[in-house]
Amino acid sequence: MLNFASLQPPLSITGLDDLPDAIVVIDQHGQPLLCNQQATQILAGYFPSLWQVDATSTHRVLDRYHSPLSAEQLPLQRIVAGATLNNEEFVLIQNDSSKKRWIALSGGPCTGSIKAAGILSIRDVTVFKQEETRLQRQAFLDELTGLANRNAFIARVNAGLAQAQPADSMALLFIDLDRFKDVNDNLGHQVGNELLSQLGERLQHQIQPETSLVARLGGDEFAVLMEHITSQDDAIAMAECLQAIIAQPFQLQQHEIYIDACIGIALGARHYGHAEDWLCDADTAMYQVKAIPDRHWFVFDSSLQVQQSQRLQAEMELRRALDNGELRLHYQPIVTISTQAIIGFEALVRWQHPDRGLLMPGEFIGTAEATGLIIPLGWWVLEEACRQMQVWTQAYPDTAHFTVSVNMSSKQFSQKNLVQRVSKTLAQTGFDPRRLKLEITEGVLIDHSESIIDVLEQLRAMGIRLAVDDFGTGYSSLSYLHRFPFDSLKIDRSFIDNADQDYEKLEILQSVVRLAWNLGLDVVAEGVETQRHYAQLKALRCESGQGYLFSKPLPPDAIEAILVKDLELDLPAD
Ligand code: C2E
Ligand code: MG
Ligand code: MG
């Protein structure tokens, strides 16, 4: 019977004690033939467990993941069987977990000696491992909130996915704060950080740590994993509860701050291969929340995925269109109603799509707005319109008084350098600012309210003219016309259409024209399609008009054909 209780080899060579590592030579039964001092210290009590599984032993050897080893996996067995180990890590642990030590073991079989079957060197790496664990913990912790960070969250979700049974239901909640940027911008980063930290505590307090994990993914994004839910209602209840605690005021350095959150929920378990895919779906659902006013949460469904991939595709194509110069401008003449003379054009964007032909703005402006691409698109339109007008001015001096109207999107007004950019474009193209009209819909005024007045005043000070576009389709608040410095009013075609038959419409049209006059605004009627419209506008003494009756929007060469013919449109008979 072999004695495994301690490491007491028959031989000892003193020189070996000077080596930094523990050295052991074993026979084919895993018995120590030779060892140094270090080996006795490191392996005392554990040596038998390196060779055989003994349920009664108080000392055990585990693999680096703390899993028990079968007999064939034990290091000495492997060496005797002929394997070579290269710095393989093992954990030496007492059953009551009171002591734990990490070792790195190298070794292999011995040849040439009848008795020695293998030699191994062992290094105690406990200190390194403790430091590694500390660093790892740090790498998995969000410093600001003390919550799990993105890495930790992904790791836990992946582990949850790997262990999930077919019947298990889990939920992932993606939380994004609204207006957090405003807090940072207006009150400073310190207040912003304090808010995130307080929010972290609130969220942590709300979940059950045994079955849920809350993490800060970065910025103002948080996520919650619920590992066991019975139905989607549990996840919704959690989302509502989190929303309610987020909506409670935050007391931050004398400021009482209210914020809101959008929460995307993705249910699932086994059908997700990876945590990132699952998070992506919850993120998609979160964006859906943002699109619906007064909504705080949304549960992902796969049709959203289709929508999102279509959106991404459209965005990619539009980006390419901008890079490859696939955008075009068409110009629609604006005429003086009384004289029928052209006084300018409205520049309208088109997309010469390589596969789908010429696309109208209705097919891509929405994508451009949603993705922010409307900003580069808008600048391109402005530059191109000014450039083209300058070319025509030089080629056809009679057009030197023509104006060009350019549509401006609300997003463009979020740009801080808007005025400088417009001014630079005018300077670069040499186009006279007094011939530029910027068309703005009421939506822009609503989005930016007071902050826009200053910008509009600056544009106007440069000589640029400003028009309210599509008047009558939005809020049609007449107070806007007083408050904002406009020069023109473009009446939407829905007002013009049928005005001759619909008495009420006619009344409104009449009073809008009169009001515009009183405010010193000139009026442009949009969508003049028929002789009847034309006659009506003449009777109302509306100054100018734009519509298919005069001309459709035309590409530059077709406009040139008109300019060559002495500015004559095939206008209707008087
Ligand atoms: P909008 O600024 O109100 O432009 C007038 C729209 O009415 C144009 O449509 C024009 O083709 C159409 N139209 C003109 N006369 C008639 C008519 O007699 N009957 C009818 N049924 N329609 C008429 P389009 O070119 O499809 O543009 C639609 C909208 O897309 C524009 O409405 C504008 O809001 C937007 N848009 C066009 N170009 C740009 C651009 O460069 N930037 C921005 N932000 N928006 C643009
Ligand atoms: Mg317009
Ligand atoms: Mg319009």
Side-chain angles (χ1 to χ4, degrees):
M1 184 69 188
L2 294 167
N3 176 16
F4 285 122
S6 66
L7 187 57
Q8 288 170 345
L11 261 174
S12 160
I13 299 174
T14 36
L16 283 182
D17 291 342
D18 297 332
L19 295 174
D21 293 347
I23 304 289
V24 187
V25 177
I26 52 166
D27 66 13
Q28 77 254 42
H29 305 293
Q31 275 289 27
L33 294 173
L34 177 76
C35 77
N36 61 359
Q37 193 69 41
Q38 287 81 339
T40 340
Q41 279 164 11
I42 297 173
L43 299 175
Y46 291 101
F47 194 78
S49 313
L50 292 171
W51 170 257
Q52 103 179 354
V53 178
D54 176 6
T56 62
S57 170
T58 54
H59 295 69
R60 279 182 303 149
V61 180
L62 308 173
D63 73 7
R64 60 193 301 250
Y65 304 107
H66 290 75
S67 302
L69 297 163
S70 65
E72 310 80 70
Q73 292 170 324
L74 287 168
L76 299 193
Q77 294 277 0
R78 284 164 61 196
I79 288 172
V80 170
T84 305
L85 274 58
N86 188 9
N87 264 323
E88 207 168 296
E89 285 174 352
F90 296 91
V91 179
L92 307 180
I93 192 163
Q94 288 195 4
N95 273 359
D96 60 3
S97 296
S98 62
K99 252 191 177 159
K100 183 165 110 177
R101 178 173 272 183
W102 284 84
I103 55 165
L105 196 152
S106 300
C110 288
T111 49
S113 155
I114 308 157
K115 279 194 105 185
I119 180 161
L120 45 143
S121 91
I122 295 147
R123 181 167 293 184
D124 186 334
V125 291
T126 309
V127 176
F128 299 106
K129 287 309 268 191
Q130 279 167 344
E131 179 63 6
E132 189 181 276
T133 314
R134 197 182 64 75
L135 289 174
Q136 259 171 8
R137 193 168 299 143
Q138 226 172 40
F140 281 111
L141 215 65
D142 174 56
E143 260 183 64
L144 184 65
T145 59
L147 298 176
N149 67 10
R150 189 182 183 98
N151 291 342
F153 191 74
I154 297 280
R156 169 91 171 256
V157 172
N158 276 333
L161 287 176
Q163 286 159 14
Q165 299 300 309
D168 284 351
S169 279
M170 305 198 276
L172 210 153
L173 281 64
F174 194 112
I175 305 164
D176 184 84
L177 304 185
D178 285 344
R179 300 192 308 275
F180 176 69
K181 196 177 165 302
D182 292 349
V183 175
N184 256 346
D185 288 352
N186 298 327
L187 302 174
H189 285 261
Q190 213 179 337
V191 175
N193 284 352
E194 179 61 25
L195 178 116
L196 293 174
S197 156
Q198 287 189 19
L199 177 68
E201 276 173 38
R202 285 190 195 178
L203 296 176
Q204 183 64 53
H205 186 67
Q206 219 55 41
I207 63 146
Q208 290 171 332
E210 309 81 50
T211 54
S212 303
L213 176 70
V214 59
R216 177 169 169 240
L217 301 179
D220 61 348
E221 291 175 352
F222 292 80
V224 174
L225 169 71
M226 297 172 77
E227 281 182 330
H228 297 288
I229 56 167
T230 47
S231 74
Q232 116 169 0
D233 293 347
D234 291 352
I236 292 172
M238 175 59 89
E240 280 178 345
C241 163
L242 294 179
Q243 200 281 321
I245 60 146
I246 295 170
Q248 298 284 317
F250 287 84
Q251 198 60 48
L252 304 163
Q253 306 178 3
Q254 305 103 43
H255 304 285
E256 194 172 66
I257 293 172
Y258 288 84
I259 51 163
D260 249 331
C262 294
I263 305 180
I265 305 170
L267 302 166
R270 300 210 338 155
H271 61 277
Y272 284 107
H274 195 273
E276 298 281 5
D277 302 333
W278 196 0
L279 255 182
C280 183
D281 283 355
D283 188 29
T284 305
M286 188 277 293
Y287 271 101
Q288 199 71 10
V289 183
K290 288 197 186 281
I292 310 168
D294 297 327
R295 192 67 199 252
H296 294 294
W297 53 264
F298 202 91
V299 180
F300 176 83
D301 77 80
S302 48
S303 60
L304 290 182
Q305 209 168 19
V306 175
Q307 272 177 30
Q308 192 187 16
S309 68
Q310 282 170 347
R311 204 178 65 194
L312 279 176
Q313 174 76 15
E315 179 181 348
M316 244 167 51
E317 283 199 21
L318 190 54
R319 220 174 264 285
R320 190 206 57 207
L322 276 159
D323 291 345
N324 295 358
E326 293 169 15
L327 298 181
R328 304 279 180 271
L329 281 189
H330 282 192
Y331 297 84
Q332 185 173 33
I334 299 174
V335 304
T336 300
I337 298 269
S338 57
T339 63
Q340 304 177 354
I342 300 179
I343 50 168
F345 304 109
E346 177 170 4
L348 295 157
V349 70
R350 307 287 182 255
W351 176 1
Q352 188 63 55
H353 193 284
D355 309 320
R356 294 161 60 201
L358 192 72
L359 303 183
M360 300 305 260
E363 293 178 81
F364 60 91
I365 287 282
T367 304
E369 292 271 0
T371 55
L373 289 173
I374 192 73
I375 291 176
L377 183 150
W379 292 128
W380 178 83
V381 170
L382 182 70
E383 276 160 32
E384 176 56 19
C386 293
R387 187 201 64 78
Q388 178 66 80
M389 288 300 285
Q390 204 53 6
V391 170
W392 284 336
T393 308
Q394 267 141 30
Y396 312 99
D398 286 351
T399 65
H401 63 285
F402 280 15
T403 59
V404 70
S405 302
V406 171
N407 293 285
M408 297 288 283
S409 129
S410 176
K411 285 257 163 70
Q412 287 178 276
F413 280 90
S414 309
Q415 296 241 289
K416 290 217 165 73
N417 63 349
L418 177 117
V419 176
Q420 291 90 316
R421 185 79 193 249
V422 173
S423 147
K424 199 170 141 203
T425 305
L426 289 166
Q428 278 171 350
T429 54
F431 190 59
D432 182 350
R434 289 166 301 177
R435 296 174 57 198
L436 177 63
K437 265 193 177 181
L438 297 180
E439 296 194 359
I440 297 158
T441 58
E442 288 169 276
V444 180
L445 307 177
I446 292 158
D447 287 351
H448 298 276
S449 63
E450 293 304 320
S451 65
I452 205 178
I453 297 185
D454 192 36
V455 175
L456 297 181
E457 296 281 12
Q458 290 181 51
L459 292 169
R460 215 154 167 247
M462 289 162 59
I464 295 167
R465 285 188 259 173
L466 304 171
V468 185
D469 200 0
D470 302 342
F471 188 82
T473 50
Y475 291 75
S476 308
S477 167
L478 297 171
S479 71
Y480 286 136
L481 304 179
H482 285 289
R483 275 180 42 219
F484 297 98
F486 285 109
D487 302 278
S488 327
L489 189 66
K490 292 192 80 174
I491 302 179
D492 190 70
R493 69 186 155 93
S494 57
F495 262 102
I496 314 295
D497 203 26
N498 277 336
D500 52 341
Q501 285 150 21
D502 184 335
Y503 186 69
E504 216 173 308
K505 249 188 187 174
L506 185 65
E507 283 264 282
I508 299 172
L509 187 58
Q510 238 165 2
S511 49
V512 169
V513 173
R514 218 170 295 136
L515 177 92
W517 277 350
N518 290 339
L519 290 170
L521 305 174
D522 65 67
V523 178
V524 184
E526 297 188 297
V528 186
E529 285 184 347
T530 63
Q531 289 284 0
R532 275 221 303 260
H533 291 159
Y534 180 60
Q536 193 74 63
L537 292 167
K538 242 180 150 180
L540 284 171
R541 282 188 284 152
C542 178
E543 286 125 320
S544 37
Q546 172 184 354
Y548 294 168
L549 180 70
F550 309 118
S551 166
K552 288 202 165 180
L554 300 170
D557 52 354
I559 292 287
E560 273 158 33
I562 296 170
L563 299 180
V564 169
K565 275 196 325 172
D566 257 359
L567 316 180
E568 274 174 24
L569 290 172
D570 291 327
L571 291 183
D574 206 356

